[in-house]
Each structure stands twice: as structure tokens, then as C-alpha cells.
Amino acid sequence: MNGADSLCDTLLANDVDVCFANPGTSEMHFVAALDRKPDMRCVLGLFEGVVTGAADGYARMADKPAATLLHLGPGLGNGLANLHNAKRARTPMVNVVGDHATYHVQYDAPLTSDVEGVARPMSHWVRRTLTAGAISADAAEAVAIARREPGNIATLILPADAAWTDLPAGASAPVIAARDAAPRTSAEAVRAAADAIRSGENTVLMLGGAALRGRALEAAGRIARATGVRLISETSNRRIERGRTRTPVDRLPYPIDLAVAKLKDARRLVLAGARAPVGFFAYPGKPSLLAPPDCAQVVLATQEQDLAQALEWLADELGIAADAPRLAAPVPTYEVPASGKLTGAAVNILVAHTLPEQAIVCDESITQGREFPLYSVSSAPHDWLMLTGGAIGIGLPLATGAAVACPDRKVVTLQADGSGMYTLQALWTQARENLDCLTIILANRSYATLHGEMKNVGVQEPGRNARRMLDLQEPSLEWVSLARGMGVDAVSVDTIEGFADALRAGLKRRGPFLIEALI
């Protein structure tokens, strides 16, 4: 048994049994060890941003970390954008990053880099393992850190000689990581939140993290129904349980003017797993803080704490019975379009109307999908995963990982065309693994959100040079050709009738399929 075997054994002993990988020379001993460890599923990504984004999607749905396998500092650097998204989502993840053998670093070979320096900004924990004998303990600590509530990014740097060195005969069994229970909130915090709700003033209960799922979401629904407080989520969330049988939660809008308007009447803001709301960006003459200056803010519990326990305790403090009714999803009032030119609104309505039970929606629709949550609040029960850190290019990898975690559930991706190009290699992985992913490309052939941002900074009529930075034309993207080149069948549609037919076909078939929706 060598160090690479010890690493695999330790990950498996700690229930980390999926590895998303893009390996190189320094990782070959780990790759060889995979042949000796059939319980470890290894999924190849053709770009490191696919690898890290897929590990994020997997962990969001599996509720446990996946491992990634990356090649030195440059390989890790290629995956940093989606590691940023995962860090902002507080997704549990264990990154294994190979490096030169310890004695080789001194010669400054071409791929020598400061791996710790690359890893640290997008990791909660970084460690370099120097010997084969230390690998098991270090890997177990990485898993423990990753699993600590609400989730963390742990990066373990593995020099090649630590991987290939044999352990002494009779080496001990893999180290098992400790599992720490999430800390509870305090009685003082619960009383302060209850006092805010009892005040009679306009009160908002803002949810984030695990408060948007399971027992926590049910308790929030009981509180809202009984007291009349408004439920709002953060703009960007790791995972929300939605649909007609779940508690409906409004989402704080991305556009700053709409977000300010949403909170303008709030006089008390109770935070459960959410941070105080701030603008995504700064704009001339607009506030950074979105709640009114005179709005009193109370922290019921942070993401690190047991949010289900905190919200159930708050319900008890308010005298709300455990079997009290929850806030109900509204009855749909929209009309389902039947014919005509395809629009973003039509795509959103048709997807919301036809979502199958327990679908997983991976949303990187950016501008054209902002109406989707309005229409899907009463859809069949589903999970909604979204872009969390603002670094575009997560949608296709996120869906890939979610499909690996939940092979019996349909994964539907709402994908903007511009951001889809960042990591379209994920389609190849979906084809190779035969993942049940339906991808809908909202093809407006533009970075449409940036047109709005230009106006937000005061430019009403951008000139030719600026427009060429914002449009995806000359040439236009051909998503059917791109998808088929990756092994994924695809169609292009520009009418409501054509999209409805393609959507029905895509939901019925098993395996990856892509619809280019020209809007």
C-alpha cells in the first residue's frame, strides 16, 4: 500500500465515494490507485471548472462532500471560479491537488507554483501533506472540515512522492473523521426574534442556507402563516425546496432598485441563516445596504448553527403548534402559451408548467430566467439550485454533479448562452456518464445582463466598441452543433409550439438532451 492507496481508503472510509477529476502526471499514482478501489466512482471533466462545479452540484444534492482531483497550481487555478461559487454557497468539498515531488520543487520546473497561494482565497482550510504516513490523518481532517456546518472547502496538497511512497507493513486502518453537531442558537436570540415578530411592525423573516429546506422551511412556513411575517430568501441560494407542497419563499431581487423596493417597508428584519442584505455591486447614487436605515436587524441563527432547531424553537416561543398549518403556495394564475414566437417568458412558463415530480432545476438563466421563480412556486415539488457567487459558468457543471448524486431524478438546466460557453465541456461528461440532464439554452445571443449594467452606471447608448463587448454575434453561437460535437443530441427552436414539443420529448427521454431556445 502506498500513500495514494491510503488517501483513497481514507476518503472511502469517510463516505466520500465520488471523485471529479482532471489529473496530470503528478496525480498518476492516485489514478492508478483508483483501479484498486472500485468503490470510488471517478468522473472525468475536460476542464477544471467543470470538475469543481460538478463537485459543488453533487454535494448540494448528496448532502456530503465529493472529492476533486486537480493538477498542480495551474489546474487548481482553472477551477477557481466555481470554487468561489462553492465557497459562497458553503458547499462541502475536498480538493486533492497534486504537486511536484518534495525534492523536485527546488529545481523550479515549468509547472512549479505556489499551490497554497492559489488555493487559499477559495478554501476554508489548506494543508500540504509531506509524507505517505501522514496522508490518512490529513485526509480525515479535510473531510471533517468540509462536513462542518454549513459546509467548507478543504484543499489537500499531495506531493507526488508522498503518493508513491509505500507505507510500512502493517500500517494502521484509515482514520475516521469526527462528526461535529451544529451548535444551537441561544435563548436570547430566540426571544429577540420573537419580540421583533410580536412588535406589530412590518417584519421580514429572511432565510438562507439550510433554512430553505426540510424541517426549517416547514417551521418558517408555520411562523409566517400564524403571524403574517413576510418570508424572503437571499438572492443567491445553495438549494431551495420549492413547489406546490412546500412553503413559498419570495426571493430578494438581483436588481438593486427592485431589492430596495422589496424591503422599503420593513421595520424589523429577522435573519435565519441569511446575511444582512447588500447590493451585488455598487452603483453611483445607490445604496450598498438594501434594508432601510431604520430597520432593526435581529440574528436568530447563523449558517453555522442548527437552523431547523432555531426556527422550531422560535415557533414554540411564539406559541405556534407543531401541527399548525403552513403558508401555502399560491394557485397559479398565469396562462400557458400555445403558439407564437418564442420568448423568455414563454420558456419560463412552459418549464414551470411541465416540471416532473422531484426534478432538480439548475438555474444559470441570468436575465431571461428572472421570471421563473414567479411561475414555478406552484410547480410540482422540486429542488432549485442557483448561481451563488456570481462567477458565471456554473450551470452545466452544477447539473452534471447533481445528476451523479441523484441518478433517478430529472435534472433541468436553465442556461444563459453566454455563461454556458464558459464550461460547455460539461456536456461531454454528461454524454460519457449518460446523465439524465435536459439543458435549455436561453439563446438571446447577448450578454443581456451587461446591457442593463451599462445603464446602471449611466451609459444609455453604448457605441459600437462597447456593443461588441456585450453581444454574441458575428458569428452567432450554434448550440446544436456544439452539443452534438460533445456527444449530446440537440434541437433548435424559435416558436412556442416547437419548444413545447421539444420540452415534452426531452422530459420523456433518458440521458442528456439540449434545446436551444432562440428568444
Side-chain angles (χ1 to χ4, degrees):
M1 174 187 286
N2 61 22
D5 290 308
S6 177
L7 175 58
C8 283
D9 287 346
T10 303
L11 293 174
L12 287 168
N14 286 283
D15 198 29
V16 179
D17 55 6
V18 174
C19 179
F20 296 94
N22 188 281
T25 301
S26 56
E27 294 77 47
M28 286 300 99
H29 284 82
F30 185 91
V31 173
L34 294 173
D35 276 337
R36 300 187 289 273
K37 316 293 176 183
D39 290 339
M40 177 68 75
R41 180 178 181 181
C42 203
V43 179
L44 178 63
L46 299 184
F47 173 63
E48 291 89 347
V50 172
V51 169
T52 53
D56 185 358
Y58 174 89
R60 294 193 198 194
M61 294 308 304
D63 285 323
K64 66 177 185 177
T68 72
L69 181 63
L70 304 168
H71 184 44
L72 291 90
L76 173 61
N78 277 343
L80 284 184
N82 276 332
L83 274 184
H84 163 77
N85 288 327
K87 187 180 182 186
R88 298 297 297 190
R90 299 301 297 268
T91 298
M93 190 184 306
V94 176
N95 300 309
V96 177
V97 184
D99 198 9
H100 290 303
T102 54
Y103 62 83
H104 192 66
V105 173
Q106 62 183 313
Y107 301 115
D108 195 25
L111 273 172
T112 302
S113 65
D114 179 5
V115 184
E116 286 93 341
V118 177
R120 199 165 287 113
M122 306 306 179
S123 304
H124 296 95
W125 178 94
V126 179
R127 178 168 297 170
R128 177 182 291 270
T129 295
L130 296 178
T131 65
I135 287 177
S136 185
D138 287 351
E141 186 171 351
V143 174
I145 293 292
R147 288 195 309 221
R148 187 173 297 161
E149 290 294 336
N152 295 288
I153 309 297
T155 299
L156 183 66
I157 302 166
L158 186 65
D161 53 335
W164 74 51
T165 298
D166 288 334
L167 274 67
S172 59
V175 176
I176 304 298
R179 289 182 177 268
D180 298 327
R184 294 163 61 95
T185 192
S186 67
E188 292 78 10
V190 173
R191 283 196 293 270
D195 288 344
I197 292 172
R198 292 191 186 109
S199 69
E201 296 186 293
N202 191 311
T203 301
V204 171
L205 177 55
M206 190 168 186
L207 308 178
L212 294 163
R213 297 175 52 200
R215 288 169 38 215
L217 184 59
E218 290 179 2
R222 289 191 283 120
I223 293 168
R225 172 70 180 271
T227 67
V229 300
R230 286 192 291 155
L231 295 183
I232 292 180
S233 78
E234 293 184 298
T235 303
S236 302
N237 300 283
R238 180 165 86 183
R239 177 179 171 185
I240 306 181
E241 292 180 349
R242 304 185 80 242
R244 53 180 170 260
T245 62
R246 273 86 177 260
T247 297
V249 180
D250 204 1
R251 179 189 179 198
L252 192 66
Y254 167 85
I256 194 164
D257 292 335
L258 295 180
V260 169
K262 179 76 70 175
L263 296 174
K264 68 181 178 65
D265 295 328
R267 294 296 171 264
R268 306 290 182 104
L269 182 62
V270 178
L271 302 171
R275 293 159 288 227
V278 300
F280 222 83
F281 297 103
Y283 301 98
K286 297 184 180 183
S288 293
L289 302 178
L290 303 179
D294 60 349
C295 178
Q297 299 187 22
V298 176
V299 177
L300 171 65
T302 67
Q303 288 190 65
E304 289 77 13
Q305 294 174 307
D306 187 335
L307 293 170
Q309 176 267 333
L311 285 160
E312 289 173 344
W313 190 355
L314 177 59
D316 289 343
E317 180 72 16
L318 293 166
I320 302 169
D323 59 352
R326 292 183 287 109
L327 193 66
V331 176
T333 58
Y334 58 83
E335 292 185 8
V336 179
S339 62
K341 186 181 184 305
L342 190 60
T343 64
V347 170
N348 293 325
I349 291 172
L350 287 165
V351 172
H353 184 68
T354 58
L355 270 184
E357 294 272 343
Q358 300 304 317
I360 301 167
V361 178
C362 294
D363 188 354
E364 195 180 25
S365 53
I366 315 293
T367 307
Q368 294 297 325
R370 285 180 183 162
E371 296 171 312
F372 175 75
L374 301 176
Y375 300 125
S376 59
V377 66
S378 300
S379 297
H382 62 280
D383 284 278
W384 185 27
L385 316 184
M386 63 187 74
L387 172 64
T388 45
I392 61 176
I394 197 175
L396 298 174
L398 198 68
T400 302
V404 171
C406 302
D408 297 327
R409 298 174 66 175
K410 176 67 79 172
V411 179
V412 178
T413 306
L414 295 172
Q415 179 65 62
D417 52 353
S419 55
M421 288 298 295
Y422 282 51
T423 48
L424 80 167
Q425 305 96 326
L427 294 173
W428 182 88
T429 301
Q430 293 178 10
R432 188 184 217 217
E433 301 291 325
N434 194 31
L435 301 177
D436 199 12
C437 297
L438 171 60
T439 300
I440 299 166
I441 302 293
L442 292 137
N444 57 10
R445 293 176 173 170
S446 169
Y447 286 122
T449 189
L450 297 184
H451 285 275
E453 298 296 353
M454 286 288 283
K455 293 180 180 179
N456 285 335
V457 299
V459 181
Q460 299 302 314
E461 295 295 337
R464 182 176 185 275
N465 277 353
R467 290 197 304 271
R468 282 175 59 82
M469 296 300 101
L470 309 181
D471 292 328
L472 302 178
Q473 299 179 26
E474 301 176 357
S476 296
L477 299 171
E478 297 284 350
W479 273 96
V480 171
S481 299
L482 291 168
R484 288 176 178 169
M486 297 284 178
V488 174
D489 194 12
V491 297
S492 182
V493 296
D494 60 4
T495 66
I496 290 173
E497 304 97 307
F499 179 75
D501 289 342
L503 181 60
R504 283 191 293 268
L507 291 173
K508 286 180 181 178
R509 65 188 293 168
R510 175 83 186 177
F513 183 63
L514 182 142
I515 303 170
E516 181 186 39
L518 298 172
I519 54 179

